[in-house]
Amino acid sequence: MGKQKVARLSVAAALLAGGVIAGATGSANASDQRSGATAQSCYEGAHYEMFWGVGVGRNAFWPEQGTYATTTPACADINVRPDRSYSFTVCFKATGRCNGWHYAPAGRWTVVASRVLDGTKFYLQANEPDSIGAYLAY
């Protein structure tokens, strides 16, 4: 009799675990959908900006060199959609460091810094000495 009870408990535990896994999968799918909606909302708040060159052989900046933009709750990342293909780096005021170059094809949204905290001060550089335009969402 004890073996049958153990067997029933094992089957019940397996079914329960299956339900938990199925529930977790459902939550992940819902989370992915919310992430897509959040990204769409983030891009809807995008604005077009000009990056200004600061001299021969130097990178173009946004905002104006020596100033910073501040991330918002609208986006979890810093995103660019340039008119022409360029590479971008994001530099942070708090650390004084830049995060490395990210290639952004023309007309496509590209994440140039991910999981950035709200209220973070930053500026962007483009690997172009001339003025360029891009949509930004952050």
Side-chain angles (χ1 to χ4, degrees), residues 98-123:
C98 301
N99 71 339
W101 292 96
H102 300 272
Y103 178 75
R108 292 181 145 175
W109 284 110
T110 301
V111 174
V112 292
S114 59
R115 298 184 309 268
V116 181
L117 297 175
D118 294 348
T120 299
K121 295 196 177 298
F122 71 96
Y123 66 89

Side-chain angles (χ1 to χ4, degrees), residues 3-89:
K3 288 183 182 181
Q4 287 179 340
K5 186 175 182 179
V6 170
R8 277 186 252 154
L9 287 173
S10 296
V11 169
L15 290 173
L16 179 60
V20 170
I21 291 169
T25 302
S27 296
N29 290 338
S31 176
D32 290 345
Q33 290 171 355
R34 282 192 302 274
S35 295
T38 301
Q40 183 61 36
S41 171
C42 170
Y43 297 151
E44 287 171 358
H47 47 94
Y48 190 81
E49 299 291 347
M50 291 299 297
F51 286 64
W52 300 104
V54 291
V56 176
R58 300 192 57 204
N59 294 326
F61 282 79
W62 182 88
E64 183 179 324
Q65 190 172 15
T67 63
Y68 296 88
T70 305
T71 56
T72 68
C75 303
D77 306 319
I78 299 172
N79 308 276
V80 299
R81 190 178 83 191
D83 292 340
R84 295 181 305 211
S85 299
Y86 297 102
S87 290
F88 294 85
T89 187

